Amino acid sequence: MLSKPLTPKDRKRTPFFLAREEAEFLSVWDGPLRSGTGERSCQCPDHAGAVAVHCSGRGLQEIPKDIPTDAVLLKLDANKIARIPNGAFQHLNQLRELDLSQNAIETIGPAAFSGLASGLRLLDLSHNRIRRIPKDALGKLSAKIRLSHNPLHCECALQEALWALKLDPDSVDEIACHTSVQEEYVGKPLVQALDSGVSFCGVHHKTTDVAMLLTVFGWFAMVITYIVYYVRQNQEDARRHLEYLKSLPSTPVSKDPISPAP
């Protein structure tokens, strides 16, 4: 099958990271691409060069197994993918943009994006069901990351994970706290909360310190209570023993008469 060269309209939609000379070689065609749930028709490459793979809105429930190794753009948006397993993209070392937006992603393996650290420039995880950010999975990426419109739980672990990420500035204001360890920030933009000086880690550490203090106080109170009980029990035993000794009858001392001398 012959590949279809990009039209001028297509070139306007070329990903931002592709150089002009790369865009000239970008082409796609309609062909089958297998996934774990059966055959799906995706737009795939027909020749070597800069390759874009479009699998948008194909009803996929898993990451396709046979994505071309020379793909530079992979669009898996608007599907039904719920999890990203470890090593899902490890063979795509030329990939520069990965779009996983508008799925049902809840779980991301700690090594889900292994092999993409150096080349990937944009990772779109917006409009999913992510509650917690897997720091091990995203922290090593140098790509801009989109996390808007996810039901994030604002806590210390999230704050620490975000410190290690390079968030996309165009969507960072749309990252909001769906739930939070501090209820007053529920529904508010996370950046607004952090800019105000709030530290979710401070709340976490404070709660931990209070819990440790209460635990130590509880043990201390138990020890003191035991010592008091032990002393009082010994005093009671000593008193009873003394009363018992006093209740015993006294034994008279017998005196032998002095015998007269012969």
Side-chain angles (χ1 to χ4, degrees):
M1 285 179 285
L2 297 177
S3 60
K4 298 183 299 183
L6 289 179
T7 65
K9 184 177 180 180
D10 292 330
R11 290 193 179 95
K12 291 182 180 179
R13 296 197 300 265
T14 299
F16 74 94
F17 59 81
L18 289 177
R20 181 175 301 175
E21 59 273 15
E22 290 178 310
E24 294 298 328
F25 293 98
L26 187 66
S27 63
V28 296
W29 72 295
D30 290 331
L33 184 66
R34 293 193 306 274
S35 72
T37 57
E39 297 288 338
R40 294 293 186 273
S41 178
C42 298
Q43 290 181 307
C44 307
D46 190 34
H47 65 79
V51 172
V53 180
H54 293 263
C55 290
S56 304
R58 308 288 173 163
L60 301 178
Q61 298 181 23
E62 297 179 2
I63 306 297
K65 306 297 183 181
D66 53 356
I67 301 170
T69 58
D70 52 355
V72 296
L73 167 65
L74 176 57
K75 293 184 68 64
L76 294 169
D77 55 302
N79 283 291
K80 302 177 181 179
I81 301 171
R83 59 183 296 270
I84 306 176
N86 292 331
F89 310 101
Q90 61 184 358
H91 63 293
L92 304 177
N93 53 24
Q94 297 185 42
L95 198 62
R96 300 191 183 183
E97 181 175 339
L98 176 56
D99 188 352
L100 290 163
S101 63
Q102 301 182 58
N103 275 282
I105 298 172
E106 296 182 2
T107 306
I108 300 176
F113 303 106
S114 60
L116 302 180
S118 58
L120 195 65
R121 299 186 185 180
L122 179 65
L123 172 60
D124 194 342
L125 291 168
S126 61
H127 295 273
N128 276 286
R129 301 176 183 176
I130 302 171
R131 282 183 50 81
R132 290 176 171 83
I133 301 301
K135 184 178 180 180
D136 293 339
L138 301 178
K140 296 180 181 179
L141 296 177
S142 58
K144 293 181 180 180
I145 300 176
R146 294 174 182 169
L147 291 169
S148 58
H149 303 286
N150 277 287
L152 296 173
H153 177 61
C154 291
E155 57 178 347
C156 182
L158 175 64
Q159 184 172 350
E160 290 180 343
L162 292 181
W163 286 339
L165 303 185
K166 183 180 179 181
L167 298 177
D168 177 32
D170 294 334
S171 62
V172 68
D173 292 336
E174 298 175 356
I175 301 176
C177 298
H178 183 74
T179 57
S180 174
V181 293
Q182 297 188 48
E183 294 184 0
E184 61 268 29
Y185 293 105
V186 173
K188 294 184 179 180
L190 178 58
V191 173
Q192 177 181 331
L194 297 178
D195 286 345
S196 67
V198 67
S199 175
F200 298 109
C201 294
V203 173
H204 173 75
H205 293 157
K206 181 178 179 181
T207 302
T208 303
D209 293 342
V210 171
M212 291 181 62
L213 180 61
L214 291 176
T215 301
V216 172
F217 179 78
W219 279 105
F220 182 74
M222 290 177 61
V223 171
I224 295 298
T225 301
Y226 176 77
I227 293 175
V228 171
Y229 171 80
Y230 181 78
V231 171
R232 289 183 177 178
Q233 188 67 30
N234 285 347
Q235 290 177 342
E236 183 66 18
D237 291 342
R239 185 184 63 80
R240 291 177 180 176
H241 185 67
L242 182 60
E243 291 180 353
Y244 171 75
L245 293 177
K246 288 181 180 180
S247 66
L248 294 176
S250 59
T251 304
V253 180
S254 59
K255 296 181 179 180
D256 295 336
I258 300 175
S259 301

